[in-house]
Amino acid sequence: MDTWEKLREDCAACQNCGLCQTRTKLVFGVGREDAEVLFIGEGPGEQEDLQGEPFVGPAGKLLDDMLRMIDLDRSKVYIANMVKCRPPRNRDPQPEEQDACAPWLRRQIALIDPKIVVCLGRIAATGMIDPEFRITRQHGQWFDRDGRRWMATFHPSALLRDPGKRPEAFMDLRELRKEIRARCTRTYEV
Ligand code: URA
């Protein structure tokens, strides 16, 4: 049987792709290990690489604001990324790097067993929901996979670059809050 301890240990020893050679710290994930809601980002940026925690840079501040808008915070959900090591100069993680890192995320999902998964941005949406996923057209829609509800919304970095997308992202978050209230029993417990 898999355990968090074993997963952390295996993941720390990973050399499945070249990113382990250029990273500072591996960014495993953070939050409640039995969360009903999981957020998946793209990969660590500069601050995340230095601190070993996901979404602690400028995009992370916005993600915290987004969570707060629907009465959530980091302690109520789990936050992970498609890849656990920073791609140099913040380039997109390559398909081979995403494939190499996928077993760790898959094991995290199995251990958490979330009811709802929210993909942040195109990379997570195409990797986890549908390779043909179009974030501008399909954000906010629900997909049923493996007994879970999946949705993608804009990546916080995209919302920093283009604040005009924020109202749409907020609609997605309201949709998420509705779904949490309908399906989850522990997330909004105090
Ligand atoms: N962007 C991501 O996709 N993930 C992080 O952890 C930080 C920024």
Side-chain angles (χ1 to χ4, degrees):
M1 203 192 77
D2 207 4
T3 63
W4 282 101
E5 198 186 348
K6 189 164 177 332
L7 175 54
R8 280 179 188 279
E9 219 176 87
D10 293 349
C11 193
C14 177
Q15 298 196 351
N16 290 354
C17 80
L19 295 182
C20 62
Q21 282 156 24
T22 49
R23 69 150 193 249
T24 311
K25 286 189 176 172
L26 182 140
V27 179
F28 182 77
V30 73
R32 184 172 170 165
E33 291 180 349
D34 64 347
E36 292 171 308
V37 187
L38 165 67
F39 289 83
I40 303 176
E42 185 177 314
E46 185 183 17
Q47 281 308 311
E48 292 78 18
D49 176 66
L50 291 171
Q51 297 182 43
E53 198 170 317
F55 286 100
V56 288
K61 275 184 105 51
L62 182 55
L63 179 59
D64 283 334
D65 290 344
M66 290 162 73
L67 293 176
R68 212 170 303 123
M69 278 178 189
I70 54 166
D71 312 307
L72 294 177
D73 60 51
R74 284 171 187 248
S75 70
K76 295 186 168 74
V77 302
Y78 198 92
I79 303 172
N81 278 310
M82 293 298 287
V83 296
K84 303 216 177 307
C85 299
R86 183 192 184 196
R89 298 173 308 282
N90 294 350
R91 64 161 169 75
D92 287 353
Q94 304 294 297
E96 315 81 72
E97 292 159 351
Q98 293 180 50
D99 289 349
C101 212
W104 311 128
L105 182 58
R106 223 177 290 127
R107 284 170 63 182
Q108 280 174 307
I109 295 174
L111 284 169
I112 299 166
D113 193 20
K115 291 191 162 64
I116 295 174
V117 185
V118 181
C119 295
L120 297 169
R122 174 182 58 87
I123 297 282
T126 53
M128 302 303 291
I129 300 175
D130 178 353
E132 302 297 319
F133 197 94
R134 310 298 300 199
I135 198 87
T136 43
R137 270 198 279 117
Q138 293 175 287
H139 71 90
Q141 293 179 18
W142 289 107
F143 298 82
D144 290 304
R145 298 265 192 292
D146 311 323
R148 311 184 203 287
R149 299 282 276 163
W150 296 72
M151 178 217 266
T153 189
F154 297 103
H155 192 286
S157 301
L159 300 175
L160 287 174
R161 278 193 305 271
D162 181 0
K165 292 195 174 95
R166 290 188 190 196
E168 285 178 84
F170 187 50
M171 296 291 282
D172 298 346
L173 291 171
R174 290 176 56 154
E175 192 53 46
L176 170 61
R177 179 164 56 187
K178 243 193 337 199
E179 197 68 11
I180 295 173
R181 289 205 170 118
R183 289 178 183 267
C184 301
T185 53
R186 289 178 278 113
T187 304
Y188 283 127
E189 245 172 29
V190 276

Coordinates of all heavy atoms in Angstrom, one line a residue, residues 5 32 44 58 62-63 65 67 111 118 122 128 132 153 164 172:
E5 N 4.7 8.9 3.2 CA 6.1 8.9 3.5 C 6.9 8.2 2.4 O 7.9 8.7 2.0 CB 6.2 8.1 4.8 CG 7.5 8.3 5.5 CD 7.7 7.3 6.7 OE1 6.7 6.7 7.1 OE2 8.8 7.2 7.2
R32 N -3.9 20.0 2.6 CA -4.6 18.9 3.4 C -4.5 17.6 2.7 O -4.9 17.5 1.5 CB -6.0 19.4 3.6 CG -6.9 18.5 4.4 CD -8.2 19.1 4.7 NE -9.1 18.2 5.3 CZ -10.2 18.4 5.9 NH1 -10.6 19.7 5.9 NH2 -10.9 17.5 6.5
P44 N 7.0 24.7 -10.8 CA 7.5 25.8 -10.0 C 8.2 26.9 -10.8 O 8.7 26.7 -11.8 CB 8.6 25.0 -9.2 CG 8.3 23.6 -9.4 CD 7.6 23.4 -10.6
P58 N 4.4 35.8 -7.1 CA 3.3 36.7 -7.4 C 2.0 36.0 -7.9 O 0.9 36.3 -7.4 CB 3.8 37.5 -8.6 CG 5.3 37.4 -8.5 CD 5.6 36.1 -7.9
L62 N -1.9 35.8 -5.9 CA -3.2 35.9 -6.6 C -4.0 34.6 -6.4 O -5.3 34.7 -6.1 CB -3.1 36.2 -8.1 CG -4.4 36.4 -8.9 CD1 -5.2 37.5 -8.3 CD2 -4.1 36.7 -10.3
L63 N -3.4 33.5 -6.4 CA -4.1 32.2 -6.1 C -4.7 32.3 -4.7 O -5.9 31.9 -4.5 CB -3.2 31.0 -6.3 CG -3.9 29.7 -6.0 CD1 -5.1 29.4 -6.9 CD2 -2.9 28.5 -6.1
D65 N -5.7 34.9 -3.1 CA -6.8 35.8 -3.2 C -8.0 35.1 -3.8 O -9.1 35.3 -3.4 CB -6.5 37.1 -4.1 CG -5.5 38.0 -3.4 OD1 -5.3 37.9 -2.2 OD2 -4.9 38.9 -4.1
L67 N -8.6 31.9 -3.8 CA -9.2 31.0 -2.8 C -10.0 31.7 -1.8 O -11.1 31.3 -1.5 CB -8.0 30.2 -2.1 CG -7.2 29.3 -2.9 CD1 -6.0 28.7 -2.1 CD2 -8.0 28.1 -3.5
L111 N -3.7 9.1 -3.2 CA -3.7 9.2 -1.8 C -4.7 10.2 -1.3 O -5.4 10.0 -0.3 CB -2.3 9.5 -1.3 CG -1.2 8.4 -1.3 CD1 0.2 9.0 -1.1 CD2 -1.5 7.4 -0.3
V118 N -9.2 21.0 -9.9 CA -9.2 22.2 -10.6 C -7.8 22.4 -11.3 O -6.8 22.5 -10.6 CB -9.5 23.4 -9.8 CG1 -9.6 24.7 -10.6 CG2 -10.9 23.2 -9.0
R122 N -3.6 26.1 -19.1 CA -3.6 25.2 -20.3 C -2.8 24.0 -20.1 O -3.2 22.9 -20.4 CB -3.0 26.0 -21.5 CG -2.8 25.2 -22.8 CD -2.2 26.0 -23.9 NE -0.9 26.6 -23.5 CZ 0.2 26.0 -23.7 NH1 0.3 24.8 -24.2 NH2 1.4 26.6 -23.3
M128 N -4.2 16.9 -18.1 CA -5.1 16.1 -17.2 C -6.5 15.8 -17.7 O -7.1 14.9 -17.3 CB -5.2 16.8 -15.8 CG -3.8 17.0 -15.1 SD -2.9 15.5 -14.8 CE -3.8 14.6 -13.6
E132 N -6.7 18.2 -26.2 CA -7.2 19.2 -27.1 C -7.9 20.3 -26.4 O -8.6 21.2 -27.0 CB -8.2 18.6 -28.1 CG -7.7 17.5 -29.0 CD -6.6 17.9 -29.9 OE1 -6.7 19.0 -30.4 OE2 -5.6 17.2 -30.0
T153 N -9.6 26.4 -15.0 CA -9.8 27.8 -15.1 C -8.4 28.5 -15.5 O -7.4 27.8 -15.7 CB -10.3 28.4 -13.8 OG1 -10.7 29.8 -14.0 CG2 -9.4 28.4 -12.6
G164 N -8.2 41.5 -17.7 CA -9.5 41.5 -18.4 C -10.2 40.1 -18.3 O -11.4 40.0 -18.4
D172 N -15.9 31.2 -12.8 CA -15.5 29.8 -12.6 C -15.4 29.4 -11.1 O -15.8 28.4 -10.7 CB -14.1 29.5 -13.3 CG -14.1 29.7 -14.8 OD1 -15.2 29.8 -15.4 OD2 -13.0 29.8 -15.4

